[in-house]
């Protein structure tokens, strides 16, 4: 009887527990010099064919990788876990991955978890190329998740991406926690985390130092929760740019909570092109934010028109409504701490400013609000509406 039970338990455990594959068994060398791309793809093909949950193990060491595409569309459906104790390193020559959209790409997966891992894209030489004004590839995003659901990313570090660090596009139910992003403050287009066309996304306990937006939120984002983030250097947390296209999905239900901005160009921002568009941004909450020497701590800019191209004398069609700014305090690096520059055609409505205290050079910061309606509550310095 007992042996039958043991046998039963054994079969039960072995059929439910994950099958584990180590990249070393597939020929990957942890020396940072031997190209491990083929070995990683071989692991993926084997994992893909399994009908049990799988764990792909990347042990300590450095693994040199060209671009990788973990595409679940032809796999047996199952949860996939990547446990990464080591570092993934892109080729030193930026041209090898520089024309790819993504360096490490996950798509068409339902249930994918990435634990740990240092993703070192070695982007500095591409930034130098871009800064010199030469003809350079646009660069690969370091990590992309597309058309996937039930995604967890925990304890991952992204270093020196060529372009964006992490992109979530067309996904549902995504949790990012304990992610670290690190790139130089003057590195071009290195957004930390970009979310678009996705629903139910959370970003917790994250530290982002980079050369562009810490978090950028694109059209079609619905249900995004950002909490406990340290941002800086960088361009802040930004909804937009919205309204680049005339037909565009809106952004709704976004909470940004307990964020510290240090030396960033902007704090919390909503930005739209000065062009007609069907898009919108509504039900947005910015709460409990600390600003340390931030260029534009609170900013709605609906007159975005870089180099005055493709939008002169036009106004934004993006409707912004029900936006809360609550408990936001600290120091502004410019005179105007609160700027709400809304569309004359679609004025902002339902703005709430509550308990805002911003100083500029030890004096109250100034404000500038146009085409913005709503209410003010609590202590306000400056007031604006
Ligand atoms: C807003 O988004 C959060 C997740 O960020 C979700 O839990 C909540 O249900 C959403 N609210 C509405 C009204 O959709």
């Amino acid at each position: 009887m007992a042996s039958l039970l043991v046998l039963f338990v054994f079969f039960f455990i072995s059929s439910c527990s994950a099958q584990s594959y180590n990249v070393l068994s597939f020929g990957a060398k942890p020396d940072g010099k031997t190209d491990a791309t083929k070995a990683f793809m071989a692991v993926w093909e084997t994992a893909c064919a399994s009908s049990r949950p799988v764990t792909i193990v990347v042990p300590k060491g450095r693994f040199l990788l060209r671009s990788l595409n973990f595409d679940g569309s032809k796999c047996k459906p199952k949860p996939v876990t990547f446990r990464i104790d080591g570092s993934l390193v892109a080729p030193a020559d930026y041209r090898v991955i520089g024309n790819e959209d993504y360096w490490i790409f996950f798509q068409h997966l339902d249930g994918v978890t990435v634990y740990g891992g240092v993703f070192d894209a070695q982007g500095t030489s591409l930034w130098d190329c871009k800064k010199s004004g030469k003809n350079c590839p646009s660069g690969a995003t370091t990590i992309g998740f597309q058309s996937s659901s039930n995604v967890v990313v925990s304890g991952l570090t992204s270093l020196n991406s060529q372009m964006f660090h992490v992109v979530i596009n067309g996904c549902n139910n995504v949790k990012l926690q304990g992610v670290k992003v690190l790139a130089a403050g003057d590195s071009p287009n290195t957004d930390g985390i970009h979310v678009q066309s996705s629903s139910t996304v959370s970003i917790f306990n994250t530290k982002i130092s980079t050369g562009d937006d810490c978090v950028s939120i694109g059209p079609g984002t619905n249900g995004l929760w950002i909490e406990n983030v340290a941002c800086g250097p960088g361009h802040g947390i930004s909804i937009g740019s919205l309204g680049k296209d005339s037909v565009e999905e809106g952004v709704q239900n976004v909470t940004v909570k307990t964020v510290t901005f240090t030396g960033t160009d902007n704090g919390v921002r909503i930005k739209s092109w000065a062009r007609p568009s069907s898009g919108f941004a509504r039900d947005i909450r910015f709460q409990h934010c600390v600003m340390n020497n931030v260029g534009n701590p609170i900013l709605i800019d609906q007159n975005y028109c870089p180099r005055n191209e493709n939008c002169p004398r036009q106004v934004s069609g993006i409707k912004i409504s029900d936006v809360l700014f609550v408990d936001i305090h600290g120091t502004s690096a410019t005179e105007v701490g609160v700027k709400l520059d809304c569309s004359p055609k679609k004025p902002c409505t339902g703005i709430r400013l509550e308990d805002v205290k911003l100083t500029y050079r030890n004096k109250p910061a100034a404000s500038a609000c146009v085409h913005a309606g709503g209410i003010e509550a609590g202590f306000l310095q400056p007031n604006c509406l």
Side-chain angles (χ1 to χ4, degrees), residues 30 37 53 104 166 174 182 214 259 296 300 315 323 335 345 376:
T37 312
I104 311 290
V166 179
V174 180
L182 195 58
C214 289
V259 177
N296 304 291
I300 294 180
V315 297
V323 183
E335 219 174 327
K345 186 158 167 269
E376 300 187 319

Side-chain angles (χ1 to χ4, degrees), residues 37-207:
T37 312
K38 276 201 178 124
F40 274 61
M41 277 336 286
V43 175
W44 178 246
E45 273 160 34
T46 305
C48 187
S50 169
S51 42
R52 280 163 55 186
V54 294
T55 300
I56 293 173
V57 177
V58 181
K60 286 207 170 74
R62 290 167 66 78
F63 296 87
L64 179 65
L65 294 165
R66 289 174 282 120
S67 62
L68 283 171
N69 180 0
F70 298 110
D71 183 346
S73 58
K74 294 190 185 73
C75 292
K76 298 221 171 106
K78 65 188 151 275
V80 179
T81 302
F82 291 81
R83 213 191 74 213
I84 310 176
D85 296 323
S87 299
L88 312 187
V89 186
D93 180 349
Y94 61 76
R95 291 170 301 188
V96 178
I97 63 166
N99 286 309
E100 305 285 345
D101 290 336
Y102 296 94
W103 174 33
I104 311 290
F105 191 36
F106 302 86
Q107 59 172 333
H108 303 295
L109 294 160
D110 182 2
V112 56
T113 300
V114 180
Y115 282 120
V118 174
F119 290 62
D120 183 358
Q122 306 220 72
T124 54
S125 56
L126 179 59
W127 310 338
D128 292 341
C129 175
K130 287 183 176 180
K131 284 181 217 158
S132 73
K134 277 189 294 208
N135 201 1
C136 321
S138 58
T141 285
T142 289
I143 304 150
F145 291 89
Q146 190 164 296
S147 308
S148 294
S149 48
N150 305 313
V151 177
V152 176
V153 178
S154 178
L156 178 151
T157 300
S158 176
L159 292 180
N160 299 333
S161 61
Q162 290 190 337
M163 268 279 286
F164 292 8
H165 286 264
V166 179
V167 168
I168 307 295
N169 183 12
C171 294
N172 176 43
N173 193 23
V174 180
K175 291 194 179 80
L176 305 178
Q177 52 202 14
V179 169
K180 288 200 185 85
V181 167
L182 195 58
D186 64 349
S187 55
N189 306 114
T190 52
D191 293 40
I193 300 170
H194 177 76
V195 180
Q196 68 174 42
S197 305
S198 295
S199 55
T200 321
V201 177
S202 62
I203 300 171
F204 281 99
N205 307 339
T206 293
K207 189 175 185 320

Side-chain angles (χ1 to χ4, degrees), residues 302-331:
Q302 293 209 261
N303 281 304
Y304 181 62
C305 189
R307 292 178 295 277
N308 245 333
E309 279 168 19
N310 306 319
C311 38
R313 290 177 297 282
Q314 296 190 74
V315 297
S316 177
I318 297 285
K319 172 70 185 177
I320 296 177
S321 59
D322 299 314
V323 183
L324 269 55
F325 300 95
V326 178
D327 183 22
I328 296 178
H329 61 270
T331 54

Side-chain angles (χ1 to χ4, degrees), residues 273-294:
W273 286 76
R275 291 159 59 145
S277 176
S278 63
F280 59 83
R282 65 180 174 231
D283 300 327
I284 315 289
R285 292 159 294 272
F286 298 110
Q287 298 166 312
H288 316 306
C289 296
V290 177
M291 304 289 169
N292 298 318
N293 198 32
V294 169

Side-chain angles (χ1 to χ4, degrees), residues 223-225 253:
L224 170 62
W225 189 280
N253 185 12

